[in-house]
Amino acid sequence: MPRFLVHIHTGPADPNKATLGCLVALTAARKGHEVTVFFAGDGVHLLAADHAGLEGAGTGRLGDHLTGLAEAGARFRVSGMSAKARGYDDGLLEAHPAEFAMPEVLVDLAHAADTVLSY
């Protein structure tokens, strides 16, 4: 199956765009595609538990998407530099199939992916 990379750099200030990225990633995962979601910039906020209730207009609830992605076997990569700059530590990764990654990982994932989407 094709590999999808969904790069989410939009944070909770734009709930429609942030949840849309997660919804599209979840849709790809449920169709059986290999999905990696790379959270960077303000997108790292989306993994914080206090944003699970974030909901977009017609794009669903963030917490449901993240749970669905984990259940579907999607992998999360989180910009370590973005997380640190926003005050997060390893606790951000708890409860998610996630690990910190540097920019070269994003480049490698994009190179290896069949489809790259950015939100």
Side-chain angles (χ1 to χ4, degrees):
M1 288 303 267
R3 288 175 287 190
F4 276 73
L5 169 63
V6 181
H7 181 212
I8 299 179
H9 50 84
T10 300
D14 188 346
N16 291 325
K17 190 173 182 181
T19 56
L20 178 60
C22 291
L23 174 61
V24 170
L26 178 57
T27 301
R30 286 187 173 156
K31 290 187 70 141
H33 301 293
E34 181 183 318
V35 175
T36 300
V37 183
F38 197 106
F39 295 91
D42 286 336
V44 302
H45 291 297
L46 302 179
L47 294 177
D50 57 334
H51 293 298
L54 186 72
E55 192 163 347
T59 55
R61 188 175 164 273
L62 177 64
D64 295 339
H65 297 334
L66 295 178
T67 298
L69 282 161
E71 290 171 351
R75 297 176 303 160
F76 298 170
R77 298 296 177 264
V78 181
S79 168
M81 294 187 308
S82 295
K84 184 177 179 181
R86 287 158 179 81
Y88 294 109
D89 60 17
D90 291 345
L92 181 66
L93 306 181
E94 293 174 5
H96 301 290
E99 62 186 63
F100 286 124
M102 298 300 285
E104 60 266 12
V105 172
L106 177 59
V107 171
D108 292 343
L109 288 167
H111 179 74
D114 297 299
T115 302
V116 178
L117 302 169
S118 183
Y119 292 88

